[in-house]
Amino acid sequence: MSLAYPLSNHRRQRPAGVLTDALERLGTRMTYDRNEEIYAQDDEVQLLFQVVRGVVRTSRVTSDGRRQVGDFYYPGDLFGLEPGPLHRFGAEALADCEVLVVRRGAVRAFAGDVELDRAILAATNQEMERLQDHVVMLGRRSARERVGAFLMAVAQRQSGACNLPMGRQDMADYLGLTIETVSRMLTQLQGEAIVEFPSTRSFQIRKPMVLEELAA
Amino acid sequence: MSLAYPLSNHRRQRPAGVLTDALERLGTRMTYDRNEEIYAQDDEVQLLFQVVRGVVRTSRVTSDGRRQVGDFYYPGDLFGLEPGPLHRFGAEALADCEVLVVRRGAVRAFAGDVELDRAILAATNQEMERLQDHVVMLGRRSARERVGAFLMAVAQRQSGACNLPMGRQDMADYLGLTIETVSRMLTQLQGEAIVEFPSTRSFQIRKPMVLEELAA
DNA sequence: CGAGGGATTGATACGTCTCAAAGCATGTGG
DNA sequence: CCACATGCTTTGAGACGTATCAATCCCTCG
């Protein structure tokens, strides 16, 4: 079950399944309900996580209540890797989900395991790439382009009809827009028959070339 | 000569001077003229850099010519660390500057050197923090807030009168704004006596509390 | 003194946000 | 099985913030 990173590109792949074995031995499985917090913003970084089932979102809320979503994580993805001692973004379950939780100490004790080291390095690098792309997107692209790129990214690894695991508000907070603007752009893209929404949570790309162009 | 990271915060410190010794032995010094390219976007990552004198900027230009500045690097800062095999941002000298250039191979051969490893890790983590902050700034803050935060960050490690090593266009491209908007915000902040510009390249903070509030 | 590049200012257009209402799903209890 | 309540999404009208285009200003340097 290989779902896509938002804004993923060709370079972006998840660590191989072999990793799961190592983590599985080290960690414990936890389940979270929809919107349940997995860790809070400003919590100490003590654990490493891997999505088993469902989707996880990271987000940061500013002192005056504005929210920025950092990213969405799908089955197989590692998350909770952060540069400092504190989580600068919190993590919440988007939908009910299952997560493998590993103590950092256990990971360190296991250091030297080539696969695991490599997987963590790869995940960190991915994280950084994503952030770089995110900066360019938020700094220099229009609402239409952001929404187009987002759909493109979600579709990247799904064939045919795509599922949208997150609601409009989450898309908006990821894209640095309001929910209304996201909605309008979706309607607009659908009006131009670039993309089609059979329901609010699923879509299909109708004009890949046009969308590609938009997302470029 | 300790200048600040834009958007830097308390956690953000440069690797200690001892590092310079290790790199100094491994690398060679290069000088670059104002606006000279140090490496290009999409170049292979083969070298590691440290600013010795002057200021360096990284930037990415999209296919249709829009530019996003990634960050500014000051003396002591390591740059050129990237998540993948290619530079996703190019690097240019902001003003004439001197840079220590080290082949990656040399760094790897030197691996195990505790100071060096630690410095590279620290620089990578810093990079990621910066990116996270940048995302929130671009996603959720107004022009006024962005400009305020920028000045705050530049001032962070300078006392009294602050120097602005970059021009308005660079500020704009870093903040995801146009040059005119940056200019207007600066005029506005100066009009409110929050900050004062004796010349276009230097300023002094007059109401730190207000600016702090704005940048929060 | 004049030329050139950056910075500022002004007028206006445009894009996105805000506020408000209506539409549409989903789930619950009668 | 329907009626309704709830939360999410869409749509609309208008306000606001930032971009655009153009002119002027200012400083530096020749």
Side-chain angles (χ1 to χ4, degrees):
Chain A
M1 183 75 73
S2 173
L3 293 174
Y5 265 95
L7 278 194
S8 71
N9 56 29
H10 44 292
R11 230 172 301 157
R12 207 156 275 163
Q13 265 125 32
R14 281 185 295 100
V18 59
L19 166 65
T20 309
D21 304 339
L23 285 179
E24 196 86 55
R25 282 202 303 281
L26 296 174
T28 60
R29 284 186 181 225
M30 300 278 291
T31 60
Y32 297 90
D33 293 337
R34 174 179 154 75
N35 285 327
E36 192 177 345
E37 183 174 81
I38 298 173
Y39 54 79
Q41 185 172 338
D42 298 326
D43 269 5
E44 264 187 75
V45 175
Q46 287 171 328
L47 304 165
L48 176 66
F49 304 84
Q50 186 182 36
V51 180
V52 175
R53 187 177 46 77
V55 183
V56 171
R57 137 195 102 220
T58 55
S59 65
R60 184 146 139 201
V61 179
T62 64
S63 49
D64 59 348
R66 285 174 284 185
R67 190 177 75 140
Q68 177 67 47
V69 167
D71 207 0
F72 301 100
Y73 298 86
Y74 297 86
D77 293 343
L78 296 178
F79 68 99
L81 292 158
E82 300 244 8
L86 299 182
H87 283 293
R88 298 160 65 73
F89 286 69
E92 306 99 37
L94 238 185
D96 296 3
C97 71
E98 199 171 344
V99 171
L100 198 54
V101 183
V102 188
R103 282 181 304 107
R104 295 293 258 227
V107 174
R108 264 194 300 277
F110 212 70
D113 178 274
V114 180
E115 286 301 336
L116 184 56
D117 285 352
R118 187 172 300 164
I120 291 178
L121 180 63
T124 306
N125 284 340
Q126 242 170 54
E127 195 76 17
M128 215 155 134
E129 273 190 27
R130 270 187 339 83
L131 283 165
Q132 289 179 336
D133 290 345
H134 209 168
V135 163
V136 175
M137 173 149 101
L138 297 177
R140 288 300 178 211
R141 318 186 79 153
S142 69
R144 183 182 161 90
E145 291 170 322
R146 293 183 206 186
V147 171
F150 186 83
L151 294 180
M152 200 73 217
V154 171
Q156 204 87 20
R157 303 209 197 159
Q158 292 175 287
S159 48
C162 302
N163 250 52
L164 218 45
M166 70 294 290
R168 299 290 187 264
Q169 187 62 62
D170 282 328
M171 289 177 57
D173 288 344
Y174 176 77
L175 298 173
L177 301 169
T178 60
I179 186 174
E180 295 96 331
T181 298
V182 169
S183 180
R184 279 184 243 274
M185 292 303 130
L186 292 174
T187 317
Q188 186 183 102
L189 292 174
Q190 181 161 240
E192 299 169 33
I194 293 169
V195 78
E196 190 188 332
F197 280 81
S199 82
T200 79
R201 291 297 191 109
S202 69
F203 68 98
Q204 179 140 21
I205 296 176
R206 287 272 169 241
K207 298 183 180 168
M209 307 307 279
V210 180
L211 200 59
E212 188 94 50
E213 181 62 25
L214 195 63
Chain B
M1 182 79 75
S2 174
L3 293 172
Y5 266 96
L7 279 193
S8 72
N9 58 30
H10 43 293
R11 229 172 303 158
R12 206 156 276 162
Q13 264 126 33
R14 280 183 297 99
V18 58
L19 166 66
T20 309
D21 303 340
L23 285 179
E24 195 86 56
R25 282 201 302 281
L26 296 172
T28 59
R29 286 187 178 224
M30 300 276 292
T31 60
Y32 297 90
D33 293 337
R34 174 178 153 77
N35 285 327
E36 191 177 346
E37 183 173 81
I38 298 174
Y39 54 80
Q41 186 171 338
D42 299 326
D43 270 4
E44 265 186 76
V45 175
Q46 288 172 326
L47 303 165
L48 175 67
F49 303 84
Q50 186 181 36
V51 181
V52 175
R53 187 176 46 77
V55 183
V56 171
R57 132 195 108 221
T58 56
S59 65
R60 186 147 138 201
V61 179
T62 64
S63 48
D64 60 348
R66 284 174 286 186
R67 189 176 78 141
Q68 176 66 49
V69 167
D71 208 359
F72 302 100
Y73 297 86
Y74 297 87
D77 294 343
L78 296 177
F79 68 100
L81 292 159
E82 299 244 9
L86 300 182
H87 283 293
R88 300 160 63 74
F89 286 71
E92 305 99 38
L94 239 185
D96 296 2
C97 70
E98 198 171 344
V99 171
L100 197 53
V101 183
V102 188
R103 281 180 305 105
R104 294 294 256 229
V107 174
R108 265 194 300 277
F110 212 72
D113 179 274
V114 181
E115 285 302 335
L116 184 55
D117 285 353
R118 185 173 300 164
I120 290 178
L121 179 63
T124 306
N125 284 340
Q126 240 170 55
E127 195 76 18
M128 216 155 133
E129 273 189 26
R130 271 188 336 86
L131 282 165
Q132 289 178 336
D133 290 345
H134 209 170
V135 163
V136 175
M137 173 149 102
L138 297 177
R140 289 298 179 214
R141 320 188 77 152
S142 69
R144 183 180 160 92
E145 290 170 324
R146 294 182 207 186
V147 171
F150 186 82
L151 294 181
M152 199 72 217
V154 170
Q156 204 85 22
R157 303 210 198 157
Q158 295 176 286
S159 48
C162 302
N163 250 53
L164 217 46
M166 71 292 291
R168 299 291 187 263
Q169 188 63 61
D170 282 328
M171 289 179 57
D173 288 343
Y174 177 76
L175 298 172
L177 300 169
T178 60
I179 186 174
E180 294 96 332
T181 299
V182 169
S183 181
R184 278 185 242 275
M185 293 303 130
L186 291 174
T187 320
Q188 187 183 102
L189 292 174
Q190 180 160 293
E192 298 168 34
I194 294 169
V195 77
E196 190 187 333
F197 280 80
S199 81
T200 80
R201 292 296 191 107
S202 69
F203 68 99
Q204 179 139 21
I205 296 176
R206 287 273 169 241
K207 299 183 181 169
M209 308 307 278
V210 179
L211 200 59
E212 188 95 49
E213 182 63 23
L214 195 63

